[in-house]
Amino acid sequence: IRIYGNPQIRISLSLKTPAKNQVKVRLIRSGELIKTFSGTLPMDIDFEDKNFKPRQKVYYRVDVKGLGALISNPIFVTFGG
């Protein structure tokens, strides 16, 4: 993905039935933890990454733990400019 401003990241997590157990959601940029969220499912997260650097290439992924484990595939981003 090529973007021309701060990335707006939206994460939506849910189960077929709501759970009372807490989950921990880690947002990772190019291997570095940038933010941790916690709560119960369903969960919607909106996050603006203010790390815009023209011509830089990064990747984002999500790591969720609590009701098992979930690790997303990376999403590759190139900052235009």
Side-chain angles (χ1 to χ4, degrees):
I1 300 172
R2 180 177 293 276
I3 60 172
Y4 295 90
N6 292 340
Q8 304 293 321
I9 299 165
R10 177 155 177 91
I11 303 165
S12 293
L13 302 166
S14 64
L15 296 169
K16 286 187 177 186
T17 58
K20 294 180 182 178
N21 297 28
Q22 290 268 324
V23 295
K24 184 166 123 178
V25 180
R26 298 181 336 137
L27 179 59
I28 298 162
R29 179 192 336 106
S30 297
E32 179 181 334
L33 176 66
I34 59 172
K35 185 76 175 177
T36 301
F37 308 90
S38 62
T40 57
L41 300 183
M43 177 188 285
D44 290 318
I45 298 168
D46 289 303
F47 179 77
E48 179 181 2
D49 186 7
K50 297 184 179 179
N51 187 59
F52 179 79
K53 294 181 181 169
R55 293 177 292 284
Q56 182 182 39
K57 294 181 182 181
V58 299
Y59 68 88
Y60 292 93
R61 68 181 178 84
V62 175
D63 178 327
V64 182
K65 293 188 179 163
L67 298 169
L70 172 73
I71 300 173
S72 72
N73 285 333
I75 298 172
F76 296 95
V77 175
T78 299
F79 299 120

Coordinates of all heavy atoms in Angstrom, one line a residue:
I1 N 0.9 -1.2 0.0 CA 0.0 0.0 0.0 C 0.9 1.2 0.0 O 1.9 1.3 0.7 CB -0.9 0.0 1.3 CG1 -1.8 -1.2 1.3 CG2 -1.7 1.3 1.3 CD1 -2.5 -1.3 2.6
R2 N 0.6 2.2 -0.8 CA 1.3 3.5 -0.8 C 0.3 4.5 -0.2 O -0.8 4.7 -0.6 CB 1.7 3.9 -2.2 CG 2.4 5.3 -2.2 CD 2.8 5.6 -3.6 NE 3.8 4.7 -4.1 CZ 5.2 4.8 -3.9 NH1 5.6 5.8 -3.1 NH2 6.0 4.0 -4.4
I3 N 0.9 5.3 0.8 CA 0.0 6.3 1.5 C 0.8 7.6 1.6 O 2.0 7.6 1.4 CB -0.4 5.8 2.9 CG1 0.8 5.6 3.8 CG2 -1.3 4.6 2.9 CD1 0.4 5.3 5.3
Y4 N 0.1 8.7 1.8 CA 0.6 10.0 1.7 C 0.3 10.8 3.0 O 0.1 12.0 2.9 CB 0.1 10.8 0.5 CG 0.6 10.1 -0.8 CD1 -0.1 9.2 -1.4 CD2 1.8 10.5 -1.3 CE1 0.3 8.6 -2.6 CE2 2.3 9.9 -2.5 CZ 1.6 8.9 -3.1 OH 2.0 8.3 -4.2
G5 N 0.3 10.1 4.1 CA 0.0 10.8 5.4 C 0.1 9.7 6.5 O 0.5 8.6 6.2
N6 N -0.3 10.1 7.7 CA -0.2 9.2 8.8 C -1.2 8.0 8.6 O -2.3 8.2 8.2 CB -0.6 9.9 10.1 CG 0.4 10.9 10.6 OD1 1.6 10.9 10.1 ND2 0.0 11.8 11.4
P7 N -0.7 6.8 8.8 CA -1.6 5.6 8.6 C -2.7 5.6 9.6 O -2.5 5.9 10.8 CB -0.6 4.4 8.8 CG 0.7 5.0 8.6 CD 0.7 6.4 9.0
Q8 N -3.9 5.4 9.1 CA -5.1 5.2 10.0 C -5.3 3.7 10.1 O -5.7 3.1 9.1 CB -6.3 5.9 9.4 CG -6.1 7.4 9.1 CD -5.9 8.2 10.4 OE1 -6.6 7.9 11.4 NE2 -5.0 9.1 10.4
I9 N -5.1 3.1 11.2 CA -5.1 1.7 11.4 C -6.4 1.3 12.1 O -6.7 1.8 13.2 CB -3.9 1.1 12.1 CG1 -2.7 1.5 11.3 CG2 -4.0 -0.3 12.4 CD1 -1.4 1.4 12.1
R10 N -7.2 0.4 11.5 CA -8.4 -0.1 12.1 C -8.3 -1.6 12.3 O -8.1 -2.3 11.4 CB -9.6 0.3 11.3 CG -10.9 -0.3 11.9 CD -12.1 0.5 11.4 NE -13.3 0.0 11.9 CZ -13.9 0.3 13.0 NH1 -13.3 1.2 13.8 NH2 -15.0 -0.2 13.4
I11 N -8.6 -2.1 13.5 CA -8.5 -3.5 13.9 C -9.9 -3.8 14.4 O -10.4 -3.2 15.4 CB -7.4 -3.8 14.9 CG1 -6.1 -3.3 14.4 CG2 -7.4 -5.2 15.3 CD1 -5.0 -3.2 15.5
S12 N -10.5 -4.9 13.8 CA -11.8 -5.4 14.3 C -11.7 -6.8 14.7 O -11.2 -7.6 13.8 CB -12.9 -5.2 13.3 OG -13.2 -3.8 13.1
L13 N -12.0 -7.2 15.9 CA -11.9 -8.6 16.4 C -13.2 -9.0 17.0 O -13.9 -8.2 17.7 CB -10.8 -8.7 17.5 CG -9.4 -8.2 17.1 CD1 -8.5 -8.1 18.3 CD2 -8.8 -9.3 16.1
S14 N -13.7 -10.2 16.7 CA -14.9 -10.7 17.2 C -14.9 -12.2 17.3 O -14.0 -12.9 16.7 CB -16.1 -10.2 16.4 OG -16.0 -10.8 15.1
L15 N -15.9 -12.7 18.0 CA -16.1 -14.2 18.1 C -17.6 -14.4 17.8 O -18.4 -13.5 17.8 CB -15.9 -14.7 19.5 CG -14.4 -14.6 20.1 CD1 -14.4 -14.9 21.6 CD2 -13.6 -15.6 19.4
K16 N -17.9 -15.6 17.5 CA -19.4 -15.9 17.3 C -20.2 -15.6 18.5 O -21.3 -15.2 18.4 CB -19.5 -17.4 16.9 CG -19.1 -17.7 15.5 CD -19.4 -19.1 15.1 CE -19.0 -19.4 13.7 NZ -19.5 -20.7 13.2
T17 N -19.6 -15.8 19.7 CA -20.3 -15.5 21.0 C -19.4 -14.6 21.8 O -18.2 -14.8 21.8 CB -20.7 -16.7 21.8 OG1 -19.5 -17.4 22.1 CG2 -21.6 -17.6 21.1
P18 N -19.9 -13.5 22.4 CA -19.1 -12.6 23.2 C -18.4 -13.4 24.3 O -18.9 -14.3 24.8 CB -20.1 -11.6 23.8 CG -21.3 -11.6 22.9 CD -21.3 -13.1 22.4
A19 N -17.2 -12.9 24.6 CA -16.3 -13.6 25.6 C -16.1 -12.6 26.7 O -16.0 -11.4 26.5 CB -15.0 -14.1 25.0
K20 N -15.9 -13.1 28.0 CA -15.7 -12.2 29.1 C -14.2 -12.2 29.4 O -13.7 -11.3 30.1 CB -16.4 -12.8 30.3 CG -17.9 -12.7 30.2 CD -18.6 -13.2 31.4 CE -20.1 -13.1 31.2 NZ -20.9 -13.6 32.3
N21 N -13.4 -13.0 28.8 CA -11.9 -13.0 29.0 C -11.3 -11.9 28.3 O -11.7 -11.5 27.2 CB -11.3 -14.3 28.5 CG -11.8 -15.5 29.2 OD1 -12.9 -15.6 29.7 ND2 -11.0 -16.6 29.3
Q22 N -10.3 -11.3 28.9 CA -9.5 -10.2 28.3 C -8.6 -10.7 27.3 O -8.0 -11.8 27.4 CB -8.7 -9.5 29.4 CG -9.5 -8.7 30.4 CD -9.6 -7.2 30.0 OE1 -8.7 -6.7 29.4 NE2 -10.8 -6.7 30.3
V23 N -8.4 -9.9 26.2 CA -7.4 -10.2 25.2 C -6.4 -9.1 25.2 O -6.7 -7.9 25.5 CB -8.0 -10.5 23.8 CG1 -8.9 -11.7 23.8 CG2 -8.7 -9.3 23.3
K24 N -5.2 -9.4 24.8 CA -4.2 -8.4 24.6 C -3.8 -8.3 23.1 O -3.5 -9.3 22.5 CB -2.9 -8.7 25.4 CG -1.8 -7.7 25.4 CD -0.8 -8.0 26.5 CE 0.5 -8.2 25.9 NZ 1.6 -8.4 26.9
V25 N -3.9 -7.1 22.6 CA -3.7 -6.9 21.2 C -2.4 -6.0 21.0 O -2.4 -4.9 21.6 CB -4.9 -6.2 20.5 CG1 -4.6 -5.9 19.0 CG2 -6.1 -6.9 20.7
R26 N -1.4 -6.5 20.3 CA -0.2 -5.8 20.1 C -0.1 -5.4 18.7 O -0.2 -6.2 17.8 CB 1.0 -6.7 20.5 CG 1.0 -7.1 22.0 CD 2.2 -7.9 22.4 NE 2.8 -8.7 21.4 CZ 4.2 -8.8 21.3 NH1 5.0 -8.2 22.1 NH2 4.7 -9.5 20.3
L27 N 0.1 -4.1 18.4 CA 0.3 -3.6 17.1 C 1.8 -3.4 16.9 O 2.5 -2.7 17.7 CB -0.4 -2.2 16.9 CG -0.3 -1.5 15.6 CD1 -0.8 -2.4 14.4 CD2 -1.0 -0.2 15.6
I28 N 2.3 -4.0 15.8 CA 3.8 -4.0 15.6 C 4.1 -3.4 14.2 O 3.4 -3.7 13.2 CB 4.3 -5.5 15.6 CG1 4.0 -6.0 17.0 CG2 5.7 -5.6 15.2 CD1 4.0 -7.5 17.1
R29 N 5.1 -2.5 14.2 CA 5.5 -1.9 13.0 C 7.0 -2.3 12.8 O 7.9 -2.0 13.5 CB 5.5 -0.3 13.1 CG 6.0 0.4 11.8 CD 6.3 1.8 11.9 NE 5.6 2.6 12.9 CZ 6.2 3.1 14.0 NH1 7.4 2.8 14.3 NH2 5.5 3.8 14.9
S30 N 7.2 -3.0 11.7 CA 8.6 -3.4 11.3 C 9.3 -4.1 12.4 O 10.5 -3.8 12.7 CB 9.4 -2.3 10.7 OG 8.7 -1.8 9.5
G31 N 8.6 -5.0 13.1 CA 9.2 -5.7 14.2 C 9.3 -5.0 15.6 O 9.7 -5.6 16.5
E32 N 8.8 -3.8 15.6 CA 8.9 -3.0 16.9 C 7.4 -2.8 17.4 O 6.5 -2.3 16.7 CB 9.5 -1.7 16.6 CG 9.6 -0.8 17.8 CD 10.2 0.6 17.5 OE1 11.0 0.7 16.6 OE2 9.9 1.5 18.2
L33 N 7.2 -3.1 18.7 CA 5.9 -2.9 19.3 C 5.7 -1.4 19.4 O 6.5 -0.6 19.9 CB 5.9 -3.5 20.7 CG 4.7 -3.3 21.5 CD1 3.5 -4.0 20.9 CD2 4.9 -3.8 23.0
I34 N 4.5 -0.9 18.9 CA 4.2 0.5 18.9 C 3.0 0.8 19.8 O 2.9 1.9 20.3 CB 4.0 1.1 17.5 CG1 2.9 0.5 16.8 CG2 5.3 1.1 16.8 CD1 2.6 1.2 15.5
K35 N 2.2 -0.2 20.1 CA 1.0 0.1 20.9 C 0.4 -1.2 21.4 O 0.4 -2.2 20.6 CB 0.0 0.9 20.2 CG -1.2 1.3 20.9 CD -0.9 2.5 21.8 CE -2.2 3.0 22.5 NZ -2.0 4.0 23.5
T36 N -0.1 -1.3 22.6 CA -0.8 -2.4 23.2 C -2.2 -2.0 23.6 O -2.3 -1.0 24.2 CB 0.0 -3.0 24.4 OG1 1.3 -3.4 23.9 CG2 -0.7 -4.3 24.9
F37 N -3.2 -2.8 23.2 CA -4.5 -2.6 23.6 C -5.0 -3.8 24.4 O -4.6 -4.9 24.1 CB -5.4 -2.4 22.4 CG -4.9 -1.4 21.4 CD1 -4.1 -1.7 20.4 CD2 -5.3 0.0 21.5 CE1 -3.6 -0.8 19.5 CE2 -4.8 0.9 20.6 CZ -4.0 0.5 19.6
S38 N -6.0 -3.6 25.3 CA -6.6 -4.8 25.9 C -8.1 -4.5 26.1 O -8.5 -3.4 26.2 CB -5.9 -5.1 27.3 OG -6.0 -4.0 28.1
G39 N -8.8 -5.6 26.2 CA -10.2 -5.5 26.4 C -10.9 -6.9 26.1 O -10.2 -7.9 26.0
T40 N -12.2 -6.9 26.0 CA -13.0 -8.1 25.7 C -13.5 -8.0 24.3 O -13.6 -6.9 23.8 CB -14.1 -8.3 26.7 OG1 -15.0 -7.1 26.7 CG2 -13.6 -8.5 28.2
L41 N -13.8 -9.2 23.8 CA -14.3 -9.2 22.4 C -15.8 -9.2 22.4 O -16.4 -9.7 23.4 CB -13.8 -10.5 21.7 CG -12.3 -10.6 21.6 CD1 -12.0 -11.9 20.8 CD2 -11.7 -9.4 20.9
P42 N -16.5 -8.5 21.5 CA -15.9 -7.9 20.3 C -15.1 -6.6 20.6 O -15.4 -6.0 21.6 CB -17.1 -7.6 19.4 CG -18.2 -7.5 20.4 CD -17.9 -8.4 21.5
M43 N -14.2 -6.3 19.8 CA -13.3 -5.1 20.0 C -13.0 -4.4 18.7 O -12.7 -5.1 17.7 CB -12.0 -5.6 20.6 CG -11.0 -4.5 20.9 SD -9.4 -5.1 21.4 CE -9.8 -5.5 23.1
D44 N -13.2 -3.1 18.6 CA -12.8 -2.3 17.5 C -11.8 -1.3 17.9 O -12.0 -0.6 19.0 CB -14.0 -1.5 16.9 CG -15.0 -2.4 16.2 OD1 -14.6 -3.3 15.5 OD2 -16.2 -2.3 16.4
I45 N -10.7 -1.2 17.2 CA -9.6 -0.3 17.6 C -9.3 0.6 16.4 O -9.2 0.1 15.2 CB -8.3 -1.2 17.9 CG1 -8.5 -2.1 19.1 CG2 -7.1 -0.2 18.1 CD1 -7.5 -3.1 19.3
D46 N -9.2 1.9 16.7 CA -8.8 2.9 15.7 C -7.6 3.5 16.2 O -7.5 4.0 17.3 CB -9.9 3.9 15.4 CG -11.1 3.3 14.7 OD1 -10.9 2.8 13.6 OD2 -12.2 3.4 15.2
F47 N -6.5 3.6 15.4 CA -5.2 4.1 15.8 C -4.6 4.8 14.7 O -4.5 4.3 13.5 CB -4.3 2.9 16.3 CG -2.9 3.4 16.7 CD1 -2.8 4.0 18.0 CD2 -1.8 3.2 15.9 CE1 -1.5 4.4 18.4 CE2 -0.6 3.6 16.3 CZ -0.4 4.2 17.5
E48 N -4.1 6.0 15.0 CA -3.3 6.8 14.0 C -1.8 6.7 14.3 O -1.4 7.1 15.4 CB -3.7 8.3 14.0 CG -2.9 9.1 13.0 CD -3.3 10.6 13.0 OE1 -4.2 11.0 13.8 OE2 -2.8 11.3 12.2
D49 N -1.1 6.1 13.4 CA 0.4 6.1 13.6 C 1.0 7.3 13.1 O 0.9 7.7 11.9 CB 1.0 4.8 12.9 CG 2.4 4.6 13.2 OD1 3.0 5.3 14.0 OD2 3.0 3.7 12.5
K50 N 1.6 8.1 14.0 CA 2.2 9.4 13.6 C 3.6 9.3 13.2 O 4.4 10.2 13.4 CB 2.0 10.4 14.8 CG 0.5 10.6 15.0 CD 0.3 11.6 16.1 CE -1.2 11.8 16.2 NZ -1.6 12.7 17.2
N51 N 4.0 8.2 12.6 CA 5.4 7.9 12.2 C 5.6 8.1 10.7 O 6.3 7.3 10.1 CB 5.8 6.5 12.7 CG 7.2 6.2 12.4 OD1 8.1 6.9 13.0 ND2 7.5 5.2 11.6
F52 N 4.9 9.0 10.1 CA 5.0 9.2 8.6 C 6.4 9.7 8.3 O 6.8 10.8 8.8 CB 4.0 10.2 8.2 CG 4.1 10.5 6.7 CD1 3.5 9.6 5.8 CD2 4.7 11.6 6.2 CE1 3.6 9.9 4.4 CE2 4.8 11.9 4.9 CZ 4.2 11.0 4.0
K53 N 7.1 9.0 7.5 CA 8.4 9.4 7.0 C 8.5 9.1 5.5 O 8.5 8.0 5.0 CB 9.5 8.6 7.7 CG 9.6 8.9 9.2 CD 10.7 8.1 9.9 CE 10.7 8.5 11.3 NZ 11.5 7.6 12.1
P54 N 8.5 10.2 4.7 CA 8.4 10.1 3.2 C 9.5 9.1 2.7 O 10.6 9.1 3.2 CB 8.7 11.5 2.7 CG 8.2 12.4 3.8 CD 8.5 11.6 5.1
R55 N 9.1 8.3 1.8 CA 9.9 7.3 1.1 C 10.3 6.1 1.9 O 11.0 5.2 1.5 CB 11.1 7.9 0.4 CG 10.7 8.8 -0.8 CD 11.8 9.5 -1.4 NE 12.5 10.5 -0.6 CZ 12.0 11.7 -0.3 NH1 10.9 12.1 -0.7 NH2 12.8 12.5 0.5
Q56 N 9.8 6.0 3.2 CA 10.2 4.9 4.0 C 9.2 3.7 3.7 O 8.1 3.9 3.4 CB 10.0 5.3 5.5 CG 10.4 4.2 6.5 CD 10.2 4.5 7.9 OE1 9.3 5.2 8.3 NE2 11.2 4.1 8.8
K57 N 9.7 2.5 3.9 CA 8.9 1.3 3.7 C 8.9 0.6 5.1 O 9.9 0.4 5.7 CB 9.5 0.4 2.7 CG 9.5 0.9 1.3 CD 10.1 0.0 0.3 CE 10.1 0.6 -1.1 NZ 10.7 -0.3 -2.1
V58 N 7.6 0.2 5.5 CA 7.4 -0.4 6.8 C 6.4 -1.6 6.6 O 5.8 -1.7 5.5 CB 6.9 0.5 7.9 CG1 7.9 1.6 8.2 CG2 5.6 1.1 7.5
Y59 N 6.2 -2.4 7.6 CA 5.1 -3.3 7.6 C 4.5 -3.3 9.0 O 5.1 -3.0 10.0 CB 5.6 -4.7 7.2 CG 6.5 -5.4 8.2 CD1 5.9 -6.2 9.2 CD2 7.9 -5.3 8.1 CE1 6.7 -6.8 10.1 CE2 8.7 -6.0 9.0 CZ 8.1 -6.7 10.0 OH 8.9 -7.4 10.9
Y60 N 3.2 -3.6 9.0 CA 2.4 -3.7 10.2 C 1.9 -5.1 10.4 O 1.6 -5.7 9.4 CB 1.2 -2.7 10.2 CG 1.6 -1.3 10.2 CD1 1.8 -0.5 9.0 CD2 1.8 -0.6 11.4 CE1 2.1 0.8 9.0 CE2 2.1 0.8 11.4 CZ 2.3 1.4 10.2 OH 2.6 2.8 10.2
R61 N 1.8 -5.5 11.6 CA 1.1 -6.8 11.9 C 0.5 -6.7 13.3 O 0.8 -5.8 14.1 CB 2.0 -8.0 11.7 CG 3.1 -8.1 12.7 CD 3.9 -9.4 12.4 NE 5.0 -9.5 13.3 CZ 4.9 -10.1 14.5 NH1 3.8 -10.6 15.0 NH2 6.0 -10.2 15.3
V62 N -0.4 -7.6 13.5 CA -1.2 -7.6 14.8 C -0.9 -9.0 15.4 O -1.0 -10.0 14.8 CB -2.7 -7.4 14.6 CG1 -3.5 -7.5 15.8 CG2 -2.9 -6.0 14.0
D63 N -0.7 -9.0 16.8 CA -0.5 -10.2 17.6 C -1.6 -10.1 18.7 O -1.6 -9.2 19.5 CB 0.9 -10.2 18.1 CG 1.3 -11.3 19.0 OD1 0.4 -11.8 19.7 OD2 2.4 -11.7 19.0
V64 N -2.5 -11.1 18.7 CA -3.5 -11.2 19.7 C -3.3 -12.4 20.6 O -3.2 -13.5 20.1 CB -4.9 -11.2 19.1 CG1 -6.0 -11.2 20.1 CG2 -5.1 -10.1 18.1
K65 N -3.4 -12.2 21.9 CA -3.3 -13.3 22.9 C -4.4 -13.2 23.9 O -4.8 -12.1 24.3 CB -2.0 -13.4 23.5 CG -0.9 -13.7 22.5 CD 0.4 -14.0 23.1 CE 1.4 -14.4 22.0 NZ 2.7 -14.3 22.3
G66 N -4.9 -14.3 24.4 CA -5.9 -14.3 25.5 C -6.8 -15.5 25.4 O -7.0 -16.3 26.3
L67 N -7.5 -15.6 24.2 CA -8.4 -16.7 24.0 C -7.7 -17.6 22.9 O -8.3 -17.9 21.9 CB -9.8 -16.2 23.5 CG -10.6 -15.4 24.5 CD1 -11.7 -14.7 23.8 CD2 -11.0 -16.2 25.6
G68 N -6.5 -18.0 23.1 CA -5.7 -18.6 22.1 C -4.7 -17.5 21.6 O -4.5 -16.5 22.3
A69 N -4.2 -17.7 20.4 CA -3.3 -16.8 19.8 C -3.7 -16.5 18.3 O -4.1 -17.5 17.7 CB -1.9 -17.3 19.9
L70 N -3.5 -15.3 17.9 CA -3.7 -14.9 16.5 C -2.6 -14.0 16.1 O -2.3 -13.0 16.8 CB -5.1 -14.3 16.4 CG -5.4 -13.6 15.0 CD1 -5.7 -14.7 14.0 CD2 -6.6 -12.7 15.1
I71 N -2.0 -14.3 15.0 CA -0.9 -13.4 14.4 C -1.3 -13.1 13.0 O -1.5 -14.1 12.2 CB 0.5 -14.0 14.5 CG1 0.8 -14.3 16.0 CG2 1.5 -13.1 13.9 CD1 2.1 -15.1 16.2
S72 N -1.4 -11.9 12.6 CA -1.8 -11.5 11.3 C -0.6 -11.6 10.3 O 0.5 -11.6 10.7 CB -2.3 -10.1 11.2 OG -1.3 -9.1 11.4
N73 N -0.9 -11.7 9.0 CA 0.1 -11.5 8.0 C 0.5 -10.1 8.0 O -0.2 -9.2 8.4 CB -0.5 -11.9 6.6 CG -0.6 -13.4 6.5 OD1 0.1 -14.2 7.1 ND2 -1.5 -13.8 5.6
P74 N 1.7 -9.8 7.6 CA 2.2 -8.4 7.5 C 1.4 -7.6 6.4 O 1.1 -8.2 5.4 CB 3.7 -8.5 7.2 CG 3.8 -9.8 6.6 CD 2.8 -10.7 7.1
I75 N 1.3 -6.3 6.6 CA 0.7 -5.4 5.6 C 1.8 -4.4 5.3 O 2.3 -3.7 6.2 CB -0.5 -4.7 6.1 CG1 -1.6 -5.7 6.4 CG2 -1.0 -3.7 5.1 CD1 -2.8 -5.2 7.1
F76 N 2.3 -4.4 4.1 CA 3.4 -3.6 3.7 C 3.0 -2.2 3.2 O 2.0 -2.1 2.5 CB 4.2 -4.3 2.6 CG 4.8 -5.6 3.1 CD1 4.2 -6.8 2.9 CD2 6.0 -5.6 3.7 CE1 4.7 -8.0 3.3 CE2 6.6 -6.8 4.2 CZ 5.9 -8.0 4.0
V77 N 3.7 -1.2 3.7 CA 3.3 0.2 3.4 C 4.5 0.9 3.0 O 5.6 0.8 3.6 CB 2.7 0.8 4.7 CG1 2.4 2.3 4.5 CG2 1.5 0.1 5.2
T78 N 4.3 1.7 1.9 CA 5.4 2.7 1.5 C 4.8 4.1 1.6 O 3.7 4.3 1.2 CB 5.7 2.4 0.0 OG1 6.2 1.1 -0.2 CG2 6.8 3.4 -0.5
F79 N 5.5 4.9 2.3 CA 5.1 6.3 2.5 C 5.5 7.1 1.2 O 6.7 7.2 0.9 CB 5.7 6.9 3.7 CG 5.3 6.2 5.0 CD1 6.3 5.6 5.8 CD2 4.0 6.1 5.4 CE1 5.9 5.0 7.0 CE2 3.6 5.5 6.5 CZ 4.6 4.9 7.4
G80 N 4.6 7.7 0.6 CA 4.8 8.6 -0.6 C 5.4 9.9 -0.1 O 5.4 10.3 1.0
G81 N 5.9 10.7 -1.1 CA 6.4 12.0 -0.7 C 7.7 12.4 -1.3 O 8.5 11.8 -1.9

